[in-house]
Each structure stands twice: as structure tokens, then as C-alpha cells.
Amino acid sequence: MKLPRQFFAPLAIGAPAPMRELPVRLERMIHFVPPHMEKLRARVPEMVKQVDVVLGNLEDAIPVEAKGAARLGFIEMAKSVDYGATGLWTRINALNSPWMLDDVTEIVGAVGDKLDVIMLPKVDGPWDIHYLDQLLAQLEARHKVKKPILIHAILETAQGVNNVEAIASASPRMHGMSLGPADLAASRAMKTTRVGGGHPEYKVLADAAPGAPDAPRAAYQQDLWHYTIGKMVDACAAAGIKAFYGPFGDFSDSAACEAQFRNAFLMGCLGAWTLHPSQIGIAKTVFSPDPAEVAFAKKIVEAMPDGAGAVMIDGKMQDDATWKQAKVLLDLAKLVAAKDPEMGARYGF
Ligand code: GLV
Ligand code: MG
């Protein structure tokens, strides 16, 4: 086991020291851009003003013959655009692919100082994080990168889910984790053909009415992702890193996308991926706390400024635990308000 004192030592001579605290940033949507497409790259300067994170995708959905063009396109869009307070991430190819090594070496060499986070797909265990951690430190040292590039794992293999706690705490370079429902479904041999969301056949049936076994019965669809999101959120919260929902593939069903995002938000996730511009507004609505909830949270904090004791508000008991929940909502609302004055006005800040 690594000794506590060594945990925050740079892994290469000349690499920047690992961060002790994660940067405080709003990351409600991680917006995916296919960087080999010039037309979509040209929209990045506009996109930067609308989203919290821009991600250049190099992995799945990029055709094999465009892998090199996507890498070069990402370097071009990283160099040519000012990202300001908007995050710049890339999703590299998987560790066992023929492209991953060049993805990392070329990108860190060219734009390591502009890159905030590398998203690593198909993480099976802490050993995958350790490898990228060491490689990044070597490249940061070689290219004199000033701040450490963080790692975001995709939780999308059965083995990864088994090892989720060890992955979350594998390195101080860990930023967080996203659920990858499409690859996870394949890895688990789930009998679905979707990218996230529910399935009409995953349900529980109400009891039959007495004496009427053939009468129609209500069916209640269940959330296929509840177990994994719960497990991921606990692992991330315990390790002090961030949890996210990943992709929702049915762009025509904004209501279902919103429901999936909201379930993730309520369970502790901070954002989701947006693969289509129509999903940006959905993520913004869902992952910015509801002004009515914020107003109630304010009432709690005003009624018990130091969180001690218990009070009744609108007939509901409040104590240390609800005070802490209120603080989570208020802190998030303050972050949203700092970026979005219109939301700030609705929160009354
Ligand atoms: C994302 O990468 C997924 O597989 O869902
Ligand atoms: Mg995947």
C-alpha cells in the first residue's frame, strides 16, 4: 500500500504536485464534440459560452479512419479557442487500443497546459488509473505542464463496477466518474439495445385483484441504473470526487432524458453528458437546483444558522442532517448564480 506521505508526491521529477483539493467548478453538462468534423469544430467558440465543459471525443462514435483526424482536430480546437471558465476535456481511446498512447503523448505535448481533464473509458480497476497517472506525470514533466491534468473514469464494465471504490481512490489525480450505460449493458449481457434510459419491460406488476386474476393490472417501470448510480455515488462521495450520469442516446425523447438526468441529480450526481445540442438546456435545468428548493434551504439555514438543535419549518422537522443537505443545495446554487445571473436572480442572491 502506498504510504500516506507519498500519496501527494509528484510521480515524475519535474511534474506538478498533485492537487489536494479539486477545483470548485460548475460541470452540469459535459458537451461532446467530434473533433474530426470541421463544421462542428467551428461551432466550439459559440459552444464555450453555453456549456460548462467542452469535451473532444476521440473514442467510440469516431470512425477508425478518422481517429488521427480527431486527435489533430482536438489539438487545433484546444489551441485556437479561449475557454475561459469553461472546462476543456478529452475522451481518449481505451488503454488496449492502438490509439491511446499517441492520444495522450501528442495531446499533452501540444496542449497540456490548456487541458483540464482526460476521460478514460472502460476502466476495469485501479491499475488502469495508476498507468495513466504515471504516464501523465512523465509527460507533464517533459513538457513543463504547470497544473496536473485530472483523470475522469467511465464506469462501463462489470469489473469496473466491482472495483468502483478502488478506482475512485486510486490517485489524487481522480476528478470523478461517469456511468457509461451503453458499454456497461454490453459488458453485463443486459438484454437491451439502448444508450441509457429505462426499458418498458423492466417493471413490477401490481397484485391481481382478488377474484379477478385476468383483469388488467398496473405495471410500474423501474430504473435499470439505480443500483449502479447508487454504488458509484457512494464510492465517489467517500473518496471526495464527483459523480456524473453519462449519455442518453434517444435525442427525440427529451422527457425521458430529463427524467434520467433528474434521477441522477437527486441521487448525488453533478452533471451528465450532452451528445446533442438539444440536451444542453435539459442538463442546465436539471443540474441547477430548483429555486423553490433553494428558497426552502435558505429558510432552514436562516432558522438554524449553525446547524445545531432542531426546528420545525412548514410542519417539517429540521436538524443537523437537513441543515447539511440545505448547505449542499445552497453551495451549488451559489456556483450556478456566479455563472448565470438570471438563475442568481431567481435564487434571490
Ligand atoms: C458511454 O461511453 C457508454 O458506453 O455508455
Ligand atoms: Mg462507452
Side-chain angles (χ1 to χ4, degrees), residues 16 84 159 170 181 228 270 318 341:
Q159 201 184 355
T228 317
L270 288 165
Q318 312 298 329

Side-chain angles (χ1 to χ4, degrees), residues 154-158 161 164 178-200 202-203 221-234 243-250 256-269 272:
I154 311 181
L155 191 61
E156 55 180 353
T157 67
V161 176
V164 66
S178 289
L179 171 73
D183 271 301
L184 185 54
S187 169
R188 282 177 174 158
M190 288 167 67
K191 308 302 178 290
T192 53
T193 52
R194 300 171 171 214
V195 177
H199 192 289
Y202 190 68
K203 63 192 177 191
Q221 198 173 321
Q222 307 292 296
D223 183 356
L224 280 168
W225 306 109
H226 180 80
Y227 157 77
T228 317
I229 292 179
K231 201 167 162 152
M232 175 181 75
V233 166
D234 281 344
F244 294 76
Y245 176 79
F248 189 88
D250 186 351
C257 176
E258 182 166 341
Q260 181 72 77
F261 283 7
R262 185 160 285 112
N263 284 352
F265 176 67
L266 288 170
M267 283 191 73
C269 291

Side-chain angles (χ1 to χ4, degrees), residues 60 91 122 156 183:
D60 293 354
R91 178 170 79 164
K122 301 180 177 75
E156 55 180 353
D183 271 301

